[in-house]
């Protein structure tokens, strides 16, 4: 797995350089919202859809892992299946980014179409998990006993989890290095659990994704040379959601993924509060922009939010082992 991690990081780093050049030549660039933070207006023109080279890395290293190991045919089939499900989440984001570039504005897929497509992916994922791979429907609750959802409840629950992870990571992606750093910490926690329960297929998927996003982070750290776009954020959310469901620990995301959760809640509260009072609860939502408006630098936001995520991961691990 160490070899896969290093290989994924190297391929992502090398591929990234060429993909960024291609994105620049094709003028696939970020279009900033005029109502966004003033400091972000200078980012207009930065290449976006950088998640493409993470996905390319994911496919290459994933296929190599499939060919060289992972046990018998059933292990290989399951590994290929979770890779493909994560890939499809990334493709939803890719289509959204592509339409934004074509229209030359911030409108891509409508929210209904994005939610609907991810819901279909999650539905198929749950059905295949239960009826083809005979996965149990047990859900591990931190600090408490496990609960066993029946098959009827497990399917809508799976849809809810994948919708939540893809959309909350998408909202978290708004500052240089934020989503990729927070997402990598979350995936590292999931990797620790996967290794603990000896789920090698999920562990390998996470190792490859972590290496890919670490390579991406070299280009995404402030000041970013490329943004992941919805391609990257939906793919990242897909990997996290699918891994959490496969490990029976989606509830732990309330702790370890506290930042994406708070980002989403801040948007909901902002909308509800504004509709009722015609005033803003936060200076701007998602909440990372609120702190920017308060004078925090992007680097400070990333460090503080990452530290909170690490604390959430520690609490989650304690909740798992007790």
């Amino acid at each position: 797995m160490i070899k896969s991690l290093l290989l994924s990081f190297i391929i992502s780093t090398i591929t990234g350089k060429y993909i960024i050049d291609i994105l620049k030549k094709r003028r696939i660039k970020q279009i900033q919202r005029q109502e966004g933070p003033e400091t972000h207006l200078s980012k207009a023109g930065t290449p976006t859809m950088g998640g493409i080279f993470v996905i390319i890395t994911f496919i290459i290293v994933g296929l190599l892992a499939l060919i060289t190991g992972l046990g018998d045919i059933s292990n290989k089939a399951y590994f290929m299946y979770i890779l493909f499900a994560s890939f499809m989440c990334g493709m939803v984001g890719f289509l959204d980014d592509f339409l934004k570039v074509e229209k030359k504005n911030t409108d891509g897929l409508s929210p209904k179409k994005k939610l609907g497509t991810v819901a279909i992916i999650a539905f198929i994922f749950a059905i295949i998990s239960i009826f083809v791979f005979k996965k149990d429907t047990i859900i591990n609750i931190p600090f408490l006993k496990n609960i066993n959802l029946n098959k009827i409840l497990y399917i809508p629950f799976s849809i809810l989890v994948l919708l939540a992870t893809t959309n909350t990571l998408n909202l978290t992606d708004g500052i240089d290095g934020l989503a990729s750093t927070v997402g990598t910490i979350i995936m590292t926690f999931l990797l620790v659990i996967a290794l603990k329960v000896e789920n090698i297929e999920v562990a390998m998927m996470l190792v490859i994704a972590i290496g890919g996003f670490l390579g991406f982070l070299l280009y995404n750290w402030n000041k970013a040379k490329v943004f992941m776009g919805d391609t990257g954020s939906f793919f990242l959310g897909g990997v996290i959601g699918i891994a959490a469901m496969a490990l029976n620990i989606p509830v732990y995301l309330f702790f370890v993924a506290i930042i994406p959760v708070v980002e989403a809640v801040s948007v909901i509260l902002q909308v509800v509060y504004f509709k009722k009072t015609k005033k803003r609860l936060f200076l701007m939502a998602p909440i990372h922009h609120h702190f920017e408006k308060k004078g925090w630098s992007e680097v400070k936001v990333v460090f503080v939010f990452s530290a909170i995520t690490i604390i959430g991961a520690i609490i989650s691990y304690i909740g798992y082992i007790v």
Side-chain angles (χ1 to χ4, degrees):
M1 286 198 177
I2 294 175
K3 289 180 181 178
S4 296
L5 178 67
L6 292 174
L7 181 61
S8 185
F9 173 75
I10 291 168
I11 292 176
S12 178
T13 302
I14 295 172
T15 307
K17 182 180 183 303
Y18 292 100
I19 293 295
I20 291 171
D21 288 341
I22 292 171
L23 293 173
K24 285 180 178 178
K25 288 178 182 178
R26 293 184 176 274
R27 298 181 180 180
I28 299 175
K29 57 188 180 180
Q30 181 78 1
I31 300 170
Q32 295 293 335
R33 295 181 299 159
Q34 292 303 311
E35 66 272 21
E38 295 79 7
T39 54
H40 284 216
L41 295 178
S42 62
K43 297 183 180 186
T46 302
T48 188
M49 295 176 71
I52 291 173
F53 66 83
V54 181
I55 294 176
I56 290 172
T57 301
F58 190 71
I59 294 170
I60 293 172
V61 184
L63 289 175
L64 287 173
L66 195 67
I67 294 168
T68 58
L70 294 172
D72 60 24
I73 188 66
S74 63
N75 298 113
K76 292 178 184 291
Y78 186 69
F79 178 69
M80 185 166 59
Y81 155 68
I82 58 175
L83 250 63
F84 183 72
S86 302
F87 168 78
M88 288 306 298
C89 290
M91 289 302 97
V92 176
F94 174 82
L95 181 58
D96 188 41
D97 282 335
F98 179 79
L99 291 175
K100 288 176 184 176
V101 171
E102 285 292 300
K103 295 177 182 179
K104 300 189 186 311
N105 60 37
T106 56
D107 297 325
L109 277 177
S110 68
K112 287 184 179 179
K113 288 180 180 178
K114 278 192 282 191
L115 290 173
T117 308
V118 173
I120 291 170
I121 294 169
F123 175 78
I124 295 171
F125 172 77
I127 292 293
I128 295 176
S129 294
I130 293 171
F131 296 103
V132 177
F133 291 102
K134 309 299 180 183
K135 186 186 181 303
D136 60 60
T137 56
I138 293 173
I139 302 297
N140 191 305
I141 309 296
F143 303 103
L144 299 172
K145 294 180 179 180
N146 296 342
I147 60 172
N148 194 353
L149 297 178
N150 60 43
K151 294 175 182 179
I152 295 175
L153 291 176
Y154 186 83
I155 293 171
F157 183 70
S158 297
I159 294 172
L160 181 63
V161 169
L162 203 57
L163 285 173
T165 54
T166 51
N167 283 279
T168 56
L169 265 298
N170 183 242
L171 290 172
T172 305
D173 180 34
I175 287 179
D176 295 354
L178 180 59
S180 45
T181 304
V182 167
T184 298
I185 296 168
I186 296 169
M187 288 190 292
T188 301
F189 163 76
L190 293 170
L191 173 61
V192 170
I193 302 301
L195 292 172
K196 186 175 180 62
V197 300
E198 297 183 351
N199 191 324
I200 302 304
E201 298 88 357
V202 173
M204 183 59 76
M205 179 184 75
L206 289 165
V207 161
I208 295 168
I210 289 169
F213 276 103
L214 286 175
F216 171 79
L217 191 56
L218 294 178
Y219 301 103
N220 186 235
W221 189 254
N222 189 271
K223 183 178 180 181
K225 298 180 178 64
V226 67
F227 301 132
M228 67 168 65
D230 285 4
T231 305
S233 62
F234 270 73
F235 172 67
L236 178 59
V239 170
I240 290 171
I242 287 165
M245 287 302 299
L247 296 170
N248 299 333
I249 56 171
V251 177
Y252 285 75
L253 295 178
F254 281 106
F255 297 95
V256 68
I258 183 63
I259 291 300
V261 170
V262 171
E263 296 274 20
V265 170
S266 72
V267 173
I268 295 169
L269 290 177
Q270 184 86 318
V271 171
V272 172
Y273 188 80
F274 185 80
K275 284 183 177 180
K276 288 186 176 293
T277 66
K278 301 303 177 184
K279 296 179 181 178
R280 295 179 185 274
L281 180 61
F282 303 105
L283 295 177
M284 188 175 178
I287 201 166
H288 56 256
H289 290 319
H290 171 81
F291 288 106
E292 280 190 282
K293 291 276 191 178
K294 295 284 283 185
W296 286 27
S297 68
E298 290 191 38
V299 173
K300 181 178 179 179
V301 173
V302 173
F303 271 109
V304 172
F305 282 25
S306 297
I308 293 170
T309 305
I310 291 171
I311 293 169
I314 293 170
I315 294 171
S316 297
Y317 186 72
I318 295 171
Y320 187 84
I321 62 176
V322 295

